[in-house]
Amino acid sequence: MELILDRVTRNYGNKIACDHISLTFKEGVYGLLGANGAGKTTLMRMMCGVLLPTSGTIQFNGIDVNLENYRDALGYLPQDFGYYPEFTAQDFMLYIAALKGLPKYRAKEKTRELFELVSLEREAKKKIKTFSGGMKQRLGIAQALLNDPKILILDEPTAGLDPKERVRFRNMISRLGKDRIVLLSTHIVSDVEYIADTILMMKDGQLIHQGTLEEIIQTINNKVWDCTVFQSEADMLCDKYQVINQRQEGDKLLLRLISEGQPCNAAVNTTATLEDLYLYYFSEESER
């Protein structure tokens, strides 16, 4: 099972949203990271066949993504998941199943299975307008799984969820990645760090990193430092270096920063994390 992107580009007028992206996806969970405007949603919409590439091709097992039989292999949860608030969860699922062409008997059976998977079996007869954000997201992933897709694309699925819901959700995503391709886009770095087999990082429409957590973190090994200094020295370091985090400790500040060499005598190398790498590339975009 392979989903192959070959030099995929998408332009909006003079702006290049995705720039010659080439990727090969196989079974597993892929985490897609990048700041707003990096091109993540455009890339996913092309992979879903919602947008056409300006150039390049996307194929699943040799099938072009724009052909009808590709849609049968696809499950998609967009960032702004639409639902009908007056529908019960069960009625909504049966409605989506009908749109996907599932026979009625199969739709009811599959709905029961999926409600058990996402822990909504007790809420099946409740109206969606009464659901919490987490329940709506679980309903969203349930509808994406109705056709038992081989490719599952999730755009910001854990946004707005409390920590307990996020843990439940990402554990479920991890299980789903055992026999299908799962692409998860999020700003929540820890979600990717915990469950992604492969991490993809995009910036300005280009793929800047691809690999396991250990592989991509190597790019900033020996560049992350901790130091505890007085306020005056902290001010100087903040002006000169990229500071990832700072915390007051008594009359001093503990700084975590990135530097090619030792930034001050008190600085010691520390183990890099995915969050360090993310902020290294995207802190400027986050401040805009």
Side-chain angles (χ1 to χ4, degrees):
M1 181 164 62
E2 284 188 332
L3 178 63
I4 299 175
L5 285 68
D6 183 20
R7 294 166 292 177
V8 172
T9 298
R10 174 70 192 198
N11 298 338
Y12 293 102
N14 294 325
K15 177 179 171 55
I16 301 176
C18 287
D19 188 6
H20 291 84
I21 302 291
S22 293
L23 285 166
T24 298
F25 295 89
K26 297 186 178 182
E27 290 95 333
V29 179
Y30 294 78
L32 180 59
L33 292 174
N36 289 333
K40 305 186 305 298
T41 296
T42 296
L43 179 65
M44 289 186 292
R45 286 169 65 83
M46 287 191 292
M47 291 171 64
C48 292
V50 177
L51 284 176
L52 291 174
T54 305
S55 63
T57 60
I58 306 175
Q59 293 189 330
F60 176 61
N61 292 343
I63 300 171
D64 192 274
V65 299
N66 297 307
L67 298 180
E68 189 62 35
N69 48 353
Y70 169 75
R71 302 292 175 89
D72 295 337
L74 177 70
Y76 179 39
L77 176 59
Q79 184 173 354
D80 298 315
F81 164 54
Y83 60 90
Y84 298 95
E86 294 297 330
F87 276 31
T88 66
Q90 179 172 285
D91 287 343
F92 178 75
M93 289 286 283
L94 294 177
Y95 170 70
I96 297 296
L99 294 180
K100 292 187 176 185
L102 271 70
K104 193 170 184 179
Y105 74 91
R106 179 59 181 147
K108 289 183 177 179
E109 178 184 323
K110 193 65 178 176
T111 294
R112 282 194 298 270
E113 291 175 9
L114 291 172
F115 278 170
E116 288 181 12
L117 176 68
V118 301
S119 302
L120 283 178
E121 60 268 33
R122 295 182 179 179
E123 286 78 24
K125 299 296 180 65
K126 294 181 180 178
K127 290 188 176 182
I128 302 173
K129 67 180 181 182
T130 67
F131 281 15
S132 67
M135 291 163 67
K136 288 173 184 173
Q137 289 296 81
R138 281 185 273 143
L139 179 62
I141 198 168
Q143 63 82 28
L145 290 167
L146 268 168
N147 56 328
D148 196 22
K150 293 300 181 184
I151 303 166
L152 185 60
I153 296 179
L154 308 170
D155 192 358
E156 297 286 350
T158 59
L161 303 188
D162 63 38
K164 184 178 178 180
E165 286 280 9
R166 277 181 43 224
V167 170
R168 183 209 298 260
F169 205 83
R170 71 184 181 214
N171 288 344
M172 178 170 52
I173 292 169
S174 182
R175 292 194 301 271
L176 291 170
K178 290 180 180 178
D179 60 354
R180 53 172 56 85
I181 296 167
V182 179
L183 178 61
L184 164 70
S185 170
T186 180
H187 286 93
I188 303 173
V189 177
S190 60
D191 287 345
V192 170
E193 194 164 18
Y194 279 121
I195 65 171
D197 303 302
T198 301
I199 297 170
L200 312 170
M201 295 187 73
M202 286 187 71
K203 184 173 184 177
D204 299 328
Q206 296 183 330
L207 189 68
I208 59 172
H209 282 301
Q210 174 186 357
T212 65
L213 176 63
E214 293 75 17
E215 288 169 345
I216 69 169
I217 283 180
Q218 284 182 6
T219 60
I220 56 167
N221 270 351
N222 304 316
K223 296 180 183 179
V224 183
W225 304 81
D226 283 342
C227 57
T228 304
V229 295
F230 288 109
Q231 183 70 57
S232 57
E233 189 171 4
D235 291 340
M236 181 273 292
L237 291 169
C238 288
D239 287 339
K240 191 172 182 180
Y241 300 101
Q242 183 173 10
V243 176
I244 300 297
N245 191 44
Q246 57 181 301
R247 185 177 75 241
Q248 194 77 38
E249 288 201 345
D251 59 349
K252 292 186 175 182
L253 281 173
L254 172 61
L255 301 183
R256 186 181 185 90
L257 51 83
I258 292 179
S259 172
E260 295 290 335
Q262 187 180 29
C264 65
N265 290 334
V268 293
N269 261 139
T270 188
T271 303
T273 67
L274 185 59
E275 183 177 53
D276 294 329
L277 184 67
Y278 183 89
L279 292 173
Y280 175 64
Y281 283 108
F282 305 122
S283 61
E284 291 181 4
E285 285 88 342
S286 300
E287 292 167 0
R288 288 175 187 168

